[in-house]
Amino acid sequence: MSAEHQNNFQHILPGQHVYDGVLFFGYSPPETLDLVKTFHVRADDVFLVTYPKAGTTWLQEIVWLLMHEGDFEGALATPVYIRSPFLEFKDLTLNEIGLDLASTMPSPRVIKTHLPLKLAPREILVKKPKVIILFRNPKDVCVSYFNFYKCSSSFGNFQGDWPEFLAMFCEGHVDHGSWFDFTKSWWPLRELTNVKLVFYEDLKRNPFGIIKELADFLGKQHLDDVTISRIAAHCSFEKMRENPMTNHQDVYSINSQVSPLMRKGQVGDWKSVFTVQQNEDFTQIYLDKLSHLEIPFTYQLDF
């Protein structure tokens, strides 16, 4: 990302910097991103790879419960962002330092990252831990990210409107950079035996079935259908929005009066925000950048 590129937009992120061509806010400082690359990966780790606003917290809670044999008491005792650390995140106010949390955590660790593959821990490709990649259709991601920008001071009191944010998103001028580059970097890994690709929309359509698949992938085939059903119910959007361990209402930087972190969780909400022209333009940008990958995104659910 060039300096000229950055000057196309007025909004500046707190601590904004460009690292290896990717824009970041100050909560992922360069020295942290350096350390992430050499982070010591354990073979029994589970990495959750998502772009921001793709259903990350949902996946974190599901996978943590699967890896801990449906320990609902444990899940209700500690915030999910402590149980499942955000690797490249460093917030000294919250004392939430992902690298420190992850490094001292007993196995099996459930670790979250929003990084493109080129910035992820190098040992992921060597140690071959379990990796779950969660994709969500980019139109809903963009709308959700816009609302997150408006409600979180982490992004610096964003005052822009929807058209401005849409342009920022399309150019990768948002925290953690381009959705297109992120998606393109992880998509080829889906065929590896230690990697599981999940679509947000499939999880929404069939939570029990997808959670069952995840249990099998994680070597938790012994968990019975009752436990899987309990996890699905515990991790419903409504329950997670009410749950103080998952709704992030304790996080100082998020103004839930503007927009809660867990806002709607719907598939197809983009249709209430995109104009017809914006939708056509975005679709063309997507086709130009990623159509060759033939990723089967779902943009609405008919149920």
Side-chain angles (χ1 to χ4, degrees):
M1 188 182 301
S2 66
E4 292 176 22
H5 178 135
Q6 294 180 60
N7 290 335
N8 290 341
F9 302 104
Q10 293 184 342
H11 184 70
I12 304 294
L13 291 163
Q16 176 172 307
H17 64 102
V18 176
Y19 184 96
D20 197 4
V22 181
L23 185 72
F24 288 97
F25 58 7
Y27 297 91
S28 298
E31 61 272 17
T32 293
L33 294 168
D34 285 341
L35 290 170
V36 165
K37 288 181 180 178
T38 56
F39 176 74
H40 180 59
V41 174
R42 303 172 194 163
D44 61 356
D45 285 338
V46 182
F47 278 86
L48 308 182
V49 174
T50 70
Y51 190 78
K53 307 311 295 178
T56 315
T57 305
W58 192 15
L59 185 65
Q60 284 175 282
E61 189 73 351
I62 289 169
V63 171
W64 190 89
L65 283 166
L66 288 172
M67 293 302 294
H68 292 83
E69 313 294 323
D71 178 11
F72 296 96
E73 287 188 14
L76 291 169
T78 306
V80 68
Y81 56 82
I82 301 297
R83 288 180 279 122
S84 172
F86 182 5
L87 193 59
E88 66 269 22
F89 192 72
K90 182 179 182 179
D91 185 334
L92 297 177
T93 303
L94 280 179
N95 197 28
E96 183 188 347
I97 302 171
L99 282 167
D100 291 353
L101 287 169
S103 296
T104 58
M105 188 168 281
S107 294
R109 301 182 297 188
V110 179
I111 299 171
K112 154 192 168 182
T113 183
H114 292 322
L115 293 172
L117 179 59
K118 69 178 181 179
L119 301 184
R122 294 177 184 136
E123 286 190 354
I124 284 179
L125 298 175
V126 179
K127 298 286 185 67
K128 295 183 168 36
K130 291 283 198 297
V131 177
I132 301 172
I133 304 168
L134 181 64
F135 279 177
R136 185 183 189 185
N137 85 70
K139 295 174 187 177
D140 279 333
V141 167
C142 187
V143 170
S144 185
Y145 211 175
F146 170 57
N147 282 283
F148 194 27
Y149 251 66
K150 289 196 298 182
C151 78
S152 176
S153 64
S154 299
F155 301 113
N157 191 29
F158 179 66
Q159 298 295 313
D161 56 13
W162 162 245
E164 180 182 358
F165 186 85
L166 178 58
M168 289 163 58
F169 183 87
C170 289
E171 289 200 29
H173 190 82
V174 288
D175 174 53
H176 276 77
S178 166
W179 174 89
F180 300 95
D181 291 347
F182 169 92
T183 301
K184 186 165 51 178
S185 76
W186 287 102
W187 174 248
L189 273 66
R190 71 194 183 284
E191 304 292 349
L192 300 178
T193 55
N194 64 309
V195 175
K196 170 78 170 170
L197 174 64
V198 176
F199 286 95
Y200 177 98
E201 294 78 13
D202 291 340
L203 188 54
K204 195 77 178 175
R205 181 193 291 117
N206 180 19
F208 178 88
I210 299 299
I211 294 171
K212 185 90 168 164
E213 286 183 19
L214 287 170
D216 291 347
F217 172 71
L218 294 168
K220 300 294 181 178
Q221 297 92 337
H222 58 277
L223 294 177
D224 60 23
D225 286 358
V226 172
T227 302
I228 300 294
S229 294
R230 285 190 67 198
I231 292 173
H234 173 92
C235 295
S236 71
F237 186 82
E238 292 71 26
K239 287 287 180 61
M240 288 189 62
R241 187 164 54 184
E242 296 167 4
N243 181 354
M245 297 299 104
T246 56
N247 63 19
H248 290 67
Q249 288 189 9
D250 60 324
V251 176
Y252 71 94
S253 59
I254 297 174
N255 184 345
S256 296
Q257 299 302 310
V258 175
S259 178
L261 179 82
M262 304 195 74
R263 192 177 57 92
K264 289 186 178 180
Q266 296 175 349
V267 177
D269 185 48
W270 63 269
K271 290 184 288 186
S272 67
V273 181
F274 276 76
T275 65
V276 172
Q277 188 63 56
Q278 287 169 347
N279 182 42
E280 290 177 359
D281 292 346
F282 186 93
T283 298
Q284 190 58 55
I285 291 169
Y286 175 86
L287 291 173
D288 291 345
K289 291 178 178 287
L290 296 187
S291 63
H292 62 288
L293 299 181
E294 299 183 341
I295 304 175
F297 283 115
T298 300
Y299 290 91
Q300 64 183 54
L301 291 181
D302 297 317
F303 71 85

